[in-house]
Amino acid sequence: MAPLDLAVIVAYFALTIGVGLWVSRSQATAGDYFLGARNLPAWAVLFSIVATETSAITVISIPGLGARGDLTFLQLTFGYLVGRFAVAFWLLPGYFRGDQETAYQRIETRFGPTSRRLVSVVFLLTRLLGDGVRIFAGSIPLALLTGWSVPTAIVAMGGITLLYTLLGGLKAVVWADVIQLAVYVSGGVAALFIAWQLAGGADQALAMAAAAGKLKILNPVLSFTQSYTLLGGLVGGALLSAASHGTDQLIVQRLLATRSLRDAQVAVVGSGVAVILQFCLFLMIGSAIWAAGLAPEGMPADQIFSRFILEQLPTGLAGLMVAGILAAAMST
């Protein structure tokens, strides 16, 4: 990569640290630090939730699904939205009764301290394992670009994330998430238009994808063997989203930092709509790369977008897109 690409990545790292320093000026109490003084706007929490649930693996791999298949993966996100409606109107009112600061205080109130401890341990273990994979995936492009080892790249990403979190608390995390979402979405939009251009224009790319059946969204068949069906997406997506957004401290802490129950409901339901649009964007990127002839059959699906970034994006924009991958890893 060119020096400009590396400069873009360095600027992104500096910006996230700057957010932590800026927010740390207003920290006065533990409530300010852990819950952002409970005055974060709903739209910022909404974007923070989307950034948090979008990992580097999502950004790298979803275009591969679009290139190799169609848009039926979106059925899963429809289930995500159903699950968030259930969280918003069934679980969130309980979290906003009294002055609860974690998801596990609510669990202890309803089911006792043993349940609270058990669920807390499950959260810590699953986050350790899941985020270990996600930050490993995000460290690979950074290591390739800089010549560092993968462990060094992991320490660099983890250290910067730790720094702005330590300095600014939840408020810094939320505002950094907003920036990180803007980085990877803007990079994705630019990548889509460039892929369309390489395919001869958006009209031609979409026509090719439609003729090949790659714009199919709904698969209403009843099957337990096909990967993506409407029923599987709605049920599986709803249960997964209800668990992660209704009981997971990673999300609940953000919702408790909003100004009211109404704001929390807007944030969690709105994040479901935003995720549908976001996944549609990255699936369409994959479809456009396929239309441009840049997804040959022998290429592994999870390499399609990475190779497109490194080989087809112009100087500066490639750095922005890699920064977006790093942003997705760090926000998670």
Side-chain angles (χ1 to χ4, degrees), residues 65-108:
L65 293 178
R68 289 284 179 259
D70 49 32
L71 305 183
T72 51
F73 182 81
L74 283 176
Q75 296 169 119
L76 184 64
T77 66
F78 300 156
Y80 288 171
L81 184 58
V82 172
R84 288 172 216 226
F85 269 106
V87 169
F89 298 102
W90 183 36
L91 293 179
L92 279 185
Y95 286 125
F96 278 82
R97 293 190 189 113
D99 191 28
Q100 299 171 104
E101 295 184 350
T102 71
Y104 309 113
Q105 284 178 275
R106 178 63 180 166
I107 291 172
E108 182 174 18

Side-chain angles (χ1 to χ4, degrees), residues 45-274:
V45 173
L46 185 161
F47 290 144
S48 176
I49 291 172
V50 176
T52 299
E53 62 184 314
T54 304
S55 70
I57 295 174
T58 302
V59 175
I60 292 170
S61 64
I62 295 299
L65 293 178
R68 289 284 179 259
D70 49 32
L71 305 183
T72 51
F73 182 81
L74 283 176
Q75 296 169 119
L76 184 64
T77 66
F78 300 156
Y80 288 171
L81 184 58
V82 172
R84 288 172 216 226
F85 269 106
V87 169
F89 298 102
W90 183 36
L91 293 179
L92 279 185
Y95 286 125
F96 278 82
R97 293 190 189 113
D99 191 28
Q100 299 171 104
E101 295 184 350
T102 71
Y104 309 113
Q105 284 178 275
R106 178 63 180 166
I107 291 172
E108 182 174 18
T109 301
R110 289 296 305 274
F111 305 109
T114 301
S115 295
R116 176 183 61 79
R117 295 189 189 99
L118 175 61
V119 177
S120 298
V121 168
V122 169
F123 167 74
L124 291 172
L125 289 177
T126 54
R127 276 294 148 193
L128 175 68
L129 296 172
D131 288 343
V133 173
R134 295 180 184 106
I135 197 169
F136 173 73
S139 71
I140 292 173
L142 181 60
L144 291 173
L145 290 172
T146 59
W148 297 343
S149 67
V150 169
T152 301
I154 289 173
V155 170
M157 291 174 58
I160 292 170
T161 307
L162 176 62
L163 182 60
Y164 74 73
T165 303
L166 182 64
L167 289 172
L170 182 67
K171 190 173 289 187
V173 170
V174 167
W175 289 114
D177 284 347
V178 172
I179 294 170
Q180 289 157 349
L181 177 72
V183 169
Y184 73 73
V185 169
S186 59
V189 170
L192 175 61
F193 279 95
I194 289 173
W196 274 342
Q197 185 180 24
L198 293 172
D203 291 343
Q204 182 171 329
L206 292 172
M208 291 174 62
K214 300 180 76 65
L215 299 185
K216 177 183 177 183
I217 296 177
L218 299 179
N219 183 18
V221 302
L222 180 62
S223 172
F224 293 99
T225 58
Q226 294 187 36
S227 296
Y228 305 114
T229 66
L230 182 58
L231 180 61
L234 290 175
V235 175
L239 291 174
L240 180 62
S241 187
S244 62
H245 290 62
T247 64
D248 192 321
Q249 174 66 7
L250 198 70
I251 303 298
V252 173
Q253 185 178 14
R254 287 163 167 77
L255 296 173
L256 289 173
T258 57
R259 294 162 180 163
S260 66
L261 171 60
R262 170 89 176 156
D263 280 0
Q265 291 171 329
V266 168
V268 72
V269 173
S271 70
V273 176

Side-chain angles (χ1 to χ4, degrees), residues 296-321:
E297 288 300 323
M299 184 185 296
D302 58 359
Q303 291 184 17
I304 290 173
F305 190 37
S306 301
R307 287 182 177 270
F308 177 79
I309 292 170
L310 294 174
E311 297 172 2
Q312 302 298 328
L313 295 188
T315 301
L317 184 55
L320 178 65
M321 198 62 245

